Amino acid sequence: MNRALVVLFVCAGLLLLGFSPDSRADTVRCESSGSYRSCPVDGRSGVRLTRQLSSQGCWQGDTWGYDVGRIWVDRGCRAEFQVGGASSSSSKDNAVAAAVVLGIVGAAIIANKDRDRDRRDGYYDDRYGYGDPRRTIRCESNNNRVSYCGLPYRGHVEVYRQHSSSPCVYARSWGVERGRLWVSNGCRADFAVY
Amino acid sequence: MRIRRFVPVLAAALLCTGAMAATPAGDAAADQKPAGHKASDHKRAGHKPGDRKSRLLARMDRNGDGKISFEEYRNAMLRRFDARDKNHDGVLDGDEFPQQWLSGAAITAEQKRISRDDFSDQLQPSFDHFDADKDGDLDGAELDAFLAARHQEKQP
């Protein structure tokens, strides 16, 4: 009888241990290939995006977010997230040295500007190579009404510059549907097409 | 190990060349360029059109508040890195490695390569370095400091 009770307590203890919230920080990878995706995690003690893997934007509350039970990602946001725990101290860098070097590099850029003028100009014509959008399109929802804007070509669309005080949040106040861009709820913005 | 010290430099250099690309010459094809020079933008940001800060904000300030948040910085910097990484292997090497940005500096990269992960991991430290008041945004004097390398352009 007594032994059975002890075994029971030990088992209960082990169970509790196994199911107690893990205070360690875990890294979770959650990736959208273009559409909405959710990854189950215990989000009660917070989630932090620690490393963005995608070129396509990761914007909290827009293309990624979390709640108590999951991390979600959308529109091509791919990233690693730290779930729970204190923020891990990332690799410390020599900031002072970096600042000094920065100034020197600034000078280096100027020096090279003259020396490599031709090459540089050629390079600058390659706007695409900067990661800047090929084109931006202004689309505005007035009086909270839905309006549509044409897209010049197929490509990944992101908010480039929001002009309204009303938030432009994907699927809520803007989106892409049958090759057209739509905005609503007062979202006014320049959209980038990559 | 040594290469890690270049990463903030590269980050800044990527950004600086980005701002440089928006020089008037580059804006000749205005219809093709991102619409970052609208009068309304500058009214909001409180800068004259065409100054360096405005150009930087036009490129990175997604919500139009005149500041650059870490999220805006991270997204812009990674786009720039990825655009330079022509063969999409997650490493800038060979012709992709921006050697010219390091020449003239009193440092030499032993390895002419930098991985996306190393670059990515330095984004927060480099941002924090310029975020003097630690409020999570680069604005005002912090942006000036960030652009300081570019200021030297005007000097002979």
Side-chain angles (χ1 to χ4, degrees), chain A residues 49-60 62 64 90-91 93 95-99 101-110 112-113 115-116 119-120 123-124 126-136 138 156 158-164 190 194, chain B residues 4-5 8-9 12-13 16-18 20-21 26 29 31-35 38 40-41 44 57-59 61-64 71-72 74-75 78-80 82-84 86 100-107 116-117 120-122 125 129-130 145-146 149-150 152-153:
Chain A
L49 190 157
T50 45
R51 183 182 279 167
Q52 181 174 332
L53 305 170
S54 60
S55 217
Q56 304 188 338
C58 290
W59 305 95
Q60 189 168 5
D62 187 355
W64 80 272
S90 57
S91 54
D93 217 273
V96 179
V101 164
L102 193 76
I104 300 168
V105 167
I109 292 167
I110 300 146
N112 276 281
K113 193 180 157 189
R115 199 170 347 125
D116 300 331
R119 193 180 158 208
R120 187 181 62 84
Y123 183 56
Y124 282 154
D126 179 20
R127 288 186 200 110
Y128 208 20
Y130 283 101
D132 291 324
R134 288 159 70 190
R135 186 99 178 248
T136 61
R138 177 73 63 95
H156 174 71
E158 278 188 28
V159 174
Y160 189 68
R161 169 70 59 84
Q162 181 182 309
H163 294 285
S164 54
D190 291 323
Y194 291 97
Chain B
R4 289 185 172 275
R5 286 171 52 195
V9 181
C16 286
T17 47
M20 255 163 116
D31 59 327
Q32 292 293 322
K33 290 295 288 180
K38 297 282 192 293
S40 60
D41 294 355
R44 289 180 67 161
L57 287 169
R59 270 149 200 280
D61 180 17
R62 184 183 190 249
N63 65 1
E71 191 174 46
E72 289 168 338
R74 184 191 67 218
N75 275 288
L78 289 174
R79 262 207 183 277
R80 290 182 192 290
D82 291 339
R84 249 205 114 77
K86 301 279 185 205
Q100 67 276 19
W101 294 342
L102 296 179
S103 66
I107 47 171
R116 194 184 194 276
D117 283 354
S120 188
D121 288 348
Q122 290 304 316
H129 174 64
F130 289 100
F146 196 72
R150 297 284 305 125
Q152 297 176 27
E153 190 192 10

